[in-house]
Amino acid sequence: MVSPVTPSSGVLAPLGLDSVRISPGFWADRDARVVIDHAWEWAERVGWIGNFRGEPRRGREFSDSEIYKLLEAMAWSGHHGFDELAQTVARAQEADGYLNTKWSGDRYADFEWGHELYCYGHLIQAGVARLRAHGEDTLTEVVRRAADHVCARFMDSGEVCGHPEIEMALVELYRATGTERYLEMARRFVERRGRPALADIELGREYFQDDVPVRQAESLRGHAVRAVYLACAQVDLAVETGDKELLRATEAQWEHALARRTYITGGIGSRHAGEAFGEDFELPPDRAYVETCAGVGSVMLAHRLLLATGDVCYADHAERVLYNVIAASPAADLRTFFYSNPLQVRTPGEVVDGVNPRAESALRAPWFSVSCCPNNLARTFASLAAYVATHDDGGVQVHHLTPAEIRHNGLTLRVETGYPWSGGVTVRVVESAGGPSRIALRVPRWADGARLDGRRVAPGYAQVEGEWQAGDEIRLDLPVEPRWTRPDPRIDAVRGCVAVERGPLVYCAEAVGDDPPLLEIEVDTSGNPVEIDSGRELEVAAHRHAAVDAAWPYGMGEQAREGEDAGSLRLMPYHRWGNRGPATMRVWLPEIPPPPLG
Amino acid sequence: MVSPVTPSSGVLAPLGLDSVRISPGFWADRDARVVIDHAWEWAERVGWIGNFRGEPRRGREFSDSEIYKLLEAMAWSGHHGFDELAQTVARAQEADGYLNTKWSGDRYADFEWGHELYCYGHLIQAGVARLRAHGEDTLTEVVRRAADHVCARFMDSGEVCGHPEIEMALVELYRATGTERYLEMARRFVERRGRPALADIELGREYFQDDVPVRQAESLRGHAVRAVYLACAQVDLAVETGDKELLRATEAQWEHALARRTYITGGIGSRHAGEAFGEDFELPPDRAYVETCAGVGSVMLAHRLLLATGDVCYADHAERVLYNVIAASPAADLRTFFYSNPLQVRTPGEVVDGVNPRAESALRAPWFSVSCCPNNLARTFASLAAYVATHDDGGVQVHHLTPAEIRHNGLTLRVETGYPWSGGVTVRVVESAGGPSRIALRVPRWADGARLDGRRVAPGYAQVEGEWQAGDEIRLDLPVEPRWTRPDPRIDAVRGCVAVERGPLVYCAEAVGDDPPLLEIEVDTSGNPVEIDSGRELEVAAHRHAAVDAAWPYGMGEQAREGEDAGSLRLMPYHRWGNRGPATMRVWLPEIPPPPLG
């Protein structure tokens, strides 16, 4: 099966790229090939491909992994560049399987920061992708040799990599090849963590999830990308080894993080320092780090948990992240990217030419000195069809309501929808081999009042069982009216504020050029937001309360303010912000206190 | 004069340690000698003194500077350890004046991070302190040779140090010795900055104030300690060279930072990443970095601006920082310290034995891997008397209302007060050589209703002119009733919250052990806070609104909450928090919305 994740057991089984094709619409507009071409050009320009040719070493210690992410994206999408790039990588491999352009002369000297095993992880994922999408070839052989080298070197050592990644890759290589030592190596890497296996760095061992053993951790914590990559491996291992305790521990960590450490966009990472989760309810909108790659990892983790448990909450969350983190990172032309996805920007960015060394994210950049986001987006877009639907013995589940063609077990379905802009979804049976089967469509948690073929259905999976024939149709109608959303009062950073959502989309206010400052706006929530342009934009009533500048900003009594009726404030989907030039932006809008009751 | 800063001109002239003695009271309780003994023992234990003896190098690249700060503290306080430590340092100096235990074999290879010139700066300040407090000795010679080496090496180069510090030190060495090349060297270091002189690091050149020339900067910015140290040098230079433009630019930078980038405690540094100022109004209470050393630097800067301009606002601010940052860092026993001084702590710290590598600051630590705070506090406490009062042609100005004896020009004053706990201040004339002179007492900005000898006086300086005779008394009464303070509405992070102040003190709520969580408290501001224990603690009416845990913390409509009347919430001065074991804490208290008017 052509899918990044193929568990041998679980409540749901994936449908891969060979079963699902995304049709023109929201996600087809995010064309992996555009991002791949862009990233390939940049990787060459900055010398990260040249490193494999023995040119003077350029880039950070983990730059090899960017080439592997790019190879994985090329593998999923059948990109013409794959062979050439794979050959370049293959030629850099040493006789014993070792492969790293940075550390060749000084192997395994720095497990905290060296990223050697992390790089193998991405190499292995690229090889697995190629094996599944195409079959055995050069890269498969490179990957086997590298993995065998890793097993020989690390099976009985106590070492782990500061950046988790190889663990889930080895499980997948085991799934793809049946070689059990890869699973055992993954298991040992996961279980070694937190006993501890790494040095006590200034950011603390929590940074790389080496503070407590994986079964004892109560939440996702530390560096957000590392945390979700490790959790992916935990699920993969738990599924392959039948380890219910580990699966339950991972679910609990996810649940804790979701309830207390996740932004309304689905983004994670509250701190720039350590690119890390914060403490419970530490969710500042302005200093939100919300790395794009942490969003990629969240979708990977949610998908694994969905397959293992069948719980709709994971698909709900994957959708939130896809629309409000993954879709927000690239510009409309897919050639510049946000590294970080904050929920408030107070100062417009400066226009950046070329590489942006900093994850400031007031403006998108075409490339970064740590340029994981473009390549991670490329492999996500290239494999996105594998996240759309699953199957079980009874039939097919459609988790993501996007135009698509889905084939399984003699049944071919065509999903037609204008979602997320409109809420109508039609599933048309194109072919059927006959026999009874169930078609289940996900009804998102916010979709109170959804109807399936006219009858009211609750959030969860709306199912129809039938003996399908070509031409049959199912019609799901989701209410995508805009709604006000208020935060848990323990999230101090957005007290007194409200957000606007519509369907799966979070909205924001953006100010460009001479627009009135967003720092001084307050919205009137007594009415509902009004749709403009078929919901692509919204309008809410607002007042502008200009604060009077004072020499000292803490006064006795109320601070002096000058108010005026601002009429209306225009909102756009968060994923579309920052496409009109340097801008300020905010998702959380200060609310005019509502009139007293009674 | 025995003072860290002795400008040759300015509206006010300092009175040094030879003119002012602090008497028992709030500040005398912060005994520099206790901190010096503690820091001396630790500096020996961690090998930072051993570095000067040629022992295997330990500590960070700037650890020499800690020994110099300690020497400066010893010099001001006449500590018995001075000679021994100065000899140890002297023996490490090389023939050409170069002195650094880290970079001796690889001089001046890294101006961004090497800190060599920064270390000289602290060495020079220690030497100047010794010269003024004691006279020429070993360290004076070491310092001259080091400064001459710096002038020879850098007078015509384009280089500067990533961490400003040597600039103000060189101005002071010029003041202490009259050697003009030290002033010229300082001027060149200051003027070179921002053209730019340093590399474009990942944090950006703003980090070390190399983004724009000093005269063009509109605010203090970047790494907070670096920013205030550089601004100190700007004032020193402006004063010595009569450069009104530079003085005015520095005042404007200060004013901007004060109005938009400073916490209510007077603390600066909104970001852990880069230990930096944030953008305007980016003032999160929980992730406030507010390094203790940035507080030390703020007091140094405020004092310089006070001397240069005579503007009371600088003394007001120095007082705020002294009581709410400087006094907050050390524990009651002066043997553990906060590196960072946040305004909200959600998770109690874990007990730390020995060196704390991280500036987490949920608990104080006796030492840090970057252990600038204890030594910076030691030199501040040891020289604090030099900040209390000044003089001009007409008489004496008392800026800090603390028990003290002040001598100037034949007049000896004894200040008696229980401030900050009570508002009464008595100034008694102990000796007078006759002739008219003015005594001015600072009336803080919050002191609406202050009285001097019974008559109402406005904030600013309350002055009395007279021909003083022994036994004369002046009585100042300041209203130190607790007050509610509200933030500028543009400070998003504390929207809907209120703080409590009393006199110069900011208060906070602290929860230890089983106390109800502070995350769920709301205060009733319809009445006033009530004093307990003569104002050392306060009580305010409060409700507890426990949020109901949800799987997802963003809901439609109001979040579900369970409320109860919590009766009262006890507040303590912020500087006293964290002395009862692991605690949570908050300065900004969510406010129950007031009832509607009319």
Side-chain angles (χ1 to χ4, degrees):
Chain A
M1 191 194 336
V2 187
S3 172
V5 192
T6 64
S8 65
S9 69
V11 175
L12 302 175
L15 289 175
L17 306 186
D18 43 345
S19 302
V20 182
R21 198 170 47 78
I22 292 177
S23 313
F26 189 96
W27 288 110
D29 288 345
R30 275 80 188 161
D31 187 341
R33 292 166 300 185
V34 176
V35 184
I36 290 170
D37 287 339
H38 172 87
W40 193 16
E41 184 194 322
W42 270 93
E44 193 65 80
R45 187 188 309 182
V46 296
W48 302 354
I49 296 175
N51 291 335
F52 288 91
R53 296 190 205 103
E55 294 167 12
R57 183 74 177 52
R58 289 168 70 189
R60 293 284 296 271
E61 60 273 28
F62 35 72
S63 72
D64 288 1
S65 78
E66 304 312 336
I67 307 311
Y68 303 149
K69 286 170 211 154
L70 184 57
L71 269 173
E72 184 189 336
M74 287 175 163
W76 295 129
S77 59
H79 192 279
H80 65 90
F82 182 89
D83 277 330
E84 179 191 326
L85 197 51
Q87 293 293 344
T88 303
V89 166
R91 280 191 288 270
Q93 191 168 34
E94 301 184 28
D96 66 348
Y98 183 90
L99 175 47
N100 192 291
T101 70
K102 169 74 182 175
W103 300 107
S104 172
D106 189 20
R107 293 184 181 186
Y108 306 123
D110 183 354
F111 287 96
E112 285 73 28
W113 302 107
H115 287 79
E116 277 157 297
L117 292 168
Y118 166 84
C119 287
Y120 285 126
H122 280 295
L123 173 67
I124 292 168
Q125 286 182 326
V128 168
R130 182 62 170 178
L131 185 59
R132 290 181 178 154
H134 174 90
E136 298 261 349
D137 77 349
T138 311
L139 199 67
T140 323
E141 187 51 29
V142 169
V143 162
R144 274 186 209 273
R145 289 176 56 213
D148 290 343
H149 159 76
V150 167
C151 291
R153 169 67 180 74
F154 292 98
M155 191 64 80
D156 297 312
S157 85
E159 295 144 336
V160 304
C161 185
H163 199 316
E165 158 65 23
I166 192 169
E167 297 83 357
M168 69 173 137
L170 283 169
V171 176
E172 216 58 45
L173 186 61
Y174 154 74
R175 288 169 173 163
T177 64
T179 307
E180 292 200 353
R181 69 173 170 281
Y182 301 148
L183 179 65
E184 176 60 16
M185 186 71 260
R187 194 188 67 76
R188 294 189 184 191
F189 279 143
V190 169
E191 296 287 359
R192 278 172 196 166
R193 264 194 138 72
R195 303 197 180 269
L198 296 163
D200 188 17
I201 57 168
E202 188 150 330
L203 290 162
R205 288 199 177 92
E206 184 182 277
Y207 172 79
F208 31 43
Q209 297 76 44
D210 191 36
D211 50 340
V212 289
V214 293
R215 291 159 199 277
Q216 289 168 29
E218 289 171 2
S219 185
L220 302 178
R221 70 224 180 274
H223 186 281
V225 176
R226 292 170 204 242
V228 289
Y229 280 16
L230 179 63
C232 284
Q234 293 170 209
V235 179
D236 290 341
L237 259 185
V239 165
E240 294 310 319
T241 61
D243 188 337
K244 291 206 174 72
E245 182 199 67
L246 182 58
L247 179 61
R248 183 61 211 134
T250 311
E251 286 183 281
Q253 291 160 22
W254 163 283
E255 284 160 15
H256 185 110
L258 206 69
R260 294 169 175 237
R261 301 183 177 188
T262 305
Y263 287 95
I264 189 173
T265 55
I268 50 173
S270 305
R271 297 181 175 179
H272 281 241
E275 309 183 298
F277 282 99
E279 297 185 340
D280 290 353
F281 305 116
E282 181 192 319
L283 292 159
D286 49 354
R287 293 295 284 168
Y289 195 68
V290 186
E291 187 179 336
T292 300
C293 291
V296 168
S298 289
V299 172
M300 290 163 58
L301 176 56
H303 185 61
R304 282 159 169 79
L305 287 166
L306 174 68
L307 296 177
T309 68
D311 190 332
V312 69
C313 77
Y314 299 115
D316 274 350
H317 193 68
E319 174 176 78
R320 182 176 290 274
V321 178
L322 283 166
Y323 280 107
N324 302 294
V325 179
I326 304 294
S329 173
D333 70 358
L334 306 179
R335 286 182 174 84
T336 58
F337 308 87
F338 282 138
Y339 189 105
S340 169
N341 296 275
L343 281 76
Q344 178 177 9
V345 170
R346 285 195 183 80
T347 307
E350 289 171 31
V351 176
V352 174
D353 293 323
V355 175
N356 182 352
R358 289 176 279 283
E360 284 170 343
S361 287
L363 272 182
R364 293 180 179 88
W367 202 251
F368 308 90
S369 56
V370 178
S371 211
C372 36
C373 310
N375 307 303
N376 242 338
L377 287 175
R379 68 181 186 134
T380 303
F381 293 151
S383 58
L384 198 62
Y387 293 85
V388 169
T390 58
H391 71 94
D392 60 11
D393 290 345
V396 169
Q397 301 81 37
V398 182
H399 305 286
H400 294 294
L401 305 168
T402 190
E405 199 165 278
I406 301 169
R407 278 175 294 125
H408 175 65
N409 223 0
L411 189 68
T412 301
L413 306 177
R414 184 171 300 145
V415 183
E416 293 171 0
T417 179
Y419 191 82
W421 308 116
S422 58
V425 181
T426 301
V427 178
R428 209 178 298 274
V429 177
V430 179
E431 282 181 314
S432 174
S437 81
R438 267 199 316 272
I439 299 173
L441 303 178
R442 184 175 59 88
V443 179
R445 206 177 71 107
W446 47 260
D448 189 30
R451 288 177 183 275
L452 186 73
D453 292 335
R455 84 189 142 85
R456 196 98 180 224
V457 286
Y461 290 101
Q463 309 196 39
V464 194
E465 183 135 14
E467 303 230 3
W468 303 104
Q469 302 198 345
D472 285 349
E473 274 190 21
I474 307 170
R475 169 77 183 185
L476 178 67
D477 283 292
L478 302 174
V480 291
E481 290 77 35
R483 58 192 191 273
W484 300 108
T485 301
R486 291 189 173 80
D488 187 301
R490 290 169 291 188
I491 305 176
D492 293 293
V494 293
R495 175 171 288 106
C497 290
V498 66
V500 176
E501 296 181 279
R502 178 177 179 278
L505 303 177
V506 175
Y507 279 66
C508 70
E510 180 185 82
V512 175
D514 292 333
D515 292 347
L518 295 177
L519 266 180
E520 311 191 343
I521 213 86
E522 286 185 349
V523 296
D524 177 352
T525 54
S526 59
N528 284 326
V530 175
E531 297 194 0
I532 298 169
D533 186 21
S534 308
R536 282 175 172 77
E537 298 208 349
L538 305 175
E539 260 183 10
V540 297
H543 289 190
R544 190 166 166 248
H545 283 284
V548 174
D549 281 321
W552 178 242
Y554 309 100
M556 284 168 274
E558 285 293 339
Q559 292 277 328
R561 308 173 75 176
E562 293 163 355
E564 65 184 72
D565 184 353
S568 64
L569 176 69
R570 197 169 271 231
L571 307 181
M572 63 170 63
Y574 173 74
H575 75 261
R576 292 172 69 156
W577 93 273
N579 276 297
R580 300 185 299 148
T584 59
M585 179 276 294
R586 66 186 305 160
V587 167
W588 290 105
L589 307 167
E591 182 176 3
I592 299 171
L597 297 173
Chain B
M1 191 194 337
V2 187
S3 173
V5 193
T6 64
S8 64
S9 68
V11 175
L12 302 176
L15 289 175
L17 306 186
D18 44 344
S19 303
V20 181
R21 197 171 47 79
I22 291 178
S23 313
F26 188 97
W27 289 109
D29 288 346
R30 275 80 188 161
D31 187 341
R33 290 166 301 183
V34 177
V35 184
I36 290 170
D37 287 338
H38 171 88
W40 193 16
E41 183 195 322
W42 270 93
E44 193 64 81
R45 187 187 309 182
V46 296
W48 300 356
I49 296 175
N51 291 336
F52 287 92
R53 297 191 205 102
E55 294 166 14
R57 183 74 177 52
R58 290 167 70 190
R60 294 284 296 272
E61 60 273 30
F62 36 71
S63 71
D64 289 0
S65 78
E66 305 311 338
I67 308 310
Y68 304 149
K69 286 169 210 154
L70 184 57
L71 270 173
E72 184 189 336
M74 287 175 163
W76 295 128
S77 60
H79 191 278
H80 65 90
F82 183 88
D83 277 330
E84 180 191 326
L85 197 51
Q87 294 293 343
T88 303
V89 166
R91 281 191 289 269
Q93 190 167 35
E94 301 184 28
D96 66 348
Y98 183 89
L99 175 47
N100 192 290
T101 70
K102 169 75 180 174
W103 299 108
S104 171
D106 190 21
R107 293 184 181 185
Y108 306 122
D110 183 354
F111 288 97
E112 285 73 28
W113 301 108
H115 286 80
E116 279 157 297
L117 293 167
Y118 166 82
C119 287
Y120 286 126
H122 281 295
L123 173 67
I124 292 168
Q125 287 182 325
V128 168
R130 182 63 170 176
L131 184 60
R132 288 180 179 155
H134 174 92
E136 299 260 349
D137 76 350
T138 311
L139 198 67
T140 323
E141 187 51 30
V142 169
V143 162
R144 274 186 210 272
R145 289 176 55 210
D148 289 344
H149 159 76
V150 167
C151 290
R153 169 68 180 74
F154 292 99
M155 191 64 80
D156 298 312
S157 86
E159 295 144 335
V160 304
C161 185
H163 199 315
E165 158 65 22
I166 194 169
E167 297 82 356
M168 68 172 136
L170 284 169
V171 176
E172 217 56 46
L173 187 61
Y174 155 73
R175 287 169 175 165
T177 64
T179 306
E180 292 201 353
R181 71 173 168 282
Y182 301 148
L183 179 65
E184 177 61 13
M185 185 72 260
R187 193 188 68 76
R188 292 190 186 190
F189 278 142
V190 169
E191 296 288 359
R192 278 172 197 165
R193 262 193 140 74
R195 301 196 180 270
L198 295 162
D200 187 17
I201 57 168
E202 187 149 329
L203 290 161
R205 287 200 177 90
E206 185 182 276
Y207 171 78
F208 32 44
Q209 296 76 46
D210 191 37
D211 50 339
V212 289
V214 294
R215 292 159 198 277
Q216 288 169 32
E218 288 171 2
S219 185
L220 301 179
R221 70 221 180 276
H223 186 282
V225 175
R226 292 169 204 244
V228 287
Y229 281 14
L230 179 62
C232 283
Q234 292 170 209
V235 179
D236 291 340
L237 259 184
V239 166
E240 293 309 318
T241 60
D243 188 337
K244 290 206 175 70
E245 181 200 66
L246 183 57
L247 179 61
R248 184 60 212 133
T250 311
E251 285 182 282
Q253 292 160 21
W254 163 283
E255 284 159 15
H256 185 108
L258 206 69
R260 293 168 176 238
R261 300 183 179 188
T262 305
Y263 286 95
I264 189 174
T265 55
I268 50 173
S270 305
R271 297 181 175 179
H272 282 242
E275 309 183 299
F277 282 99
E279 296 185 338
D280 290 353
F281 305 114
E282 180 191 319
L283 292 159
D286 49 354
R287 293 295 285 167
Y289 196 67
V290 185
E291 188 181 336
T292 300
C293 292
V296 168
S298 288
V299 172
M300 290 164 57
L301 176 56
H303 185 60
R304 282 160 168 79
L305 286 165
L306 174 68
L307 296 177
T309 67
D311 190 331
V312 69
C313 77
Y314 298 115
D316 275 348
H317 193 67
E319 174 176 76
R320 182 176 290 275
V321 177
L322 283 166
Y323 280 106
N324 302 294
V325 178
I326 303 294
S329 172
D333 71 358
L334 305 179
R335 286 181 176 85
T336 58
F337 308 87
F338 282 139
Y339 189 105
S340 169
N341 296 275
L343 282 75
Q344 178 177 10
V345 170
R346 286 194 183 79
T347 306
E350 289 171 31
V351 176
V352 173
D353 293 323
V355 175
N356 183 352
R358 291 175 278 282
E360 283 170 343
S361 287
L363 272 184
R364 294 179 179 89
W367 202 250
F368 308 90
S369 56
V370 178
S371 212
C372 36
C373 311
N375 307 303
N376 242 338
L377 288 175
R379 67 181 187 134
T380 303
F381 292 152
S383 59
L384 198 63
Y387 293 86
V388 169
T390 58
H391 72 94
D392 60 10
D393 290 345
V396 169
Q397 301 81 37
V398 182
H399 305 287
H400 295 295
L401 305 168
T402 191
E405 199 165 279
I406 301 169
R407 278 176 292 128
H408 175 64
N409 223 0
L411 188 68
T412 302
L413 305 176
R414 184 171 299 145
V415 182
E416 293 169 1
T417 179
Y419 192 83
W421 308 115
S422 58
V425 182
T426 301
V427 179
R428 210 178 297 275
V429 177
V430 178
E431 281 181 314
S432 174
S437 82
R438 264 199 319 270
I439 299 173
L441 304 179
R442 185 175 59 88
V443 178
R445 206 177 72 107
W446 48 261
D448 189 30
R451 290 178 181 274
L452 186 73
D453 293 333
R455 85 192 141 83
R456 197 100 180 221
V457 286
Y461 290 101
Q463 308 197 39
V464 194
E465 183 136 14
E467 303 232 1
W468 302 105
Q469 301 199 344
D472 285 350
E473 275 189 21
I474 306 169
R475 169 77 183 186
L476 178 66
D477 283 291
L478 302 174
V480 289
E481 289 78 35
R483 59 192 190 273
W484 300 108
T485 302
R486 291 190 174 78
D488 187 301
R490 289 169 293 187
I491 304 176
D492 292 294
V494 292
R495 174 171 288 106
C497 290
V498 66
V500 176
E501 296 181 280
R502 179 177 177 277
L505 303 176
V506 174
Y507 279 66
C508 70
E510 180 186 81
V512 175
D514 293 333
D515 292 348
L518 295 176
L519 267 179
E520 310 192 343
I521 213 86
E522 286 185 348
V523 296
D524 177 352
T525 54
S526 60
N528 284 328
V530 175
E531 297 194 359
I532 297 169
D533 185 21
S534 307
R536 282 175 173 78
E537 299 209 346
L538 305 175
E539 262 184 9
V540 298
H543 289 190
R544 190 166 166 247
H545 283 284
V548 175
D549 280 321
W552 179 244
Y554 309 100
M556 283 167 276
E558 285 295 338
Q559 292 277 326
R561 308 173 77 176
E562 293 162 353
E564 64 184 72
D565 184 351
S568 63
L569 176 69
R570 197 169 271 232
L571 307 181
M572 64 170 63
Y574 174 74
H575 74 261
R576 292 173 69 156
W577 94 274
N579 276 297
R580 301 184 300 148
T584 59
M585 179 276 295
R586 64 186 305 158
V587 166
W588 289 105
L589 306 167
E591 183 176 3
I592 301 171
L597 296 173

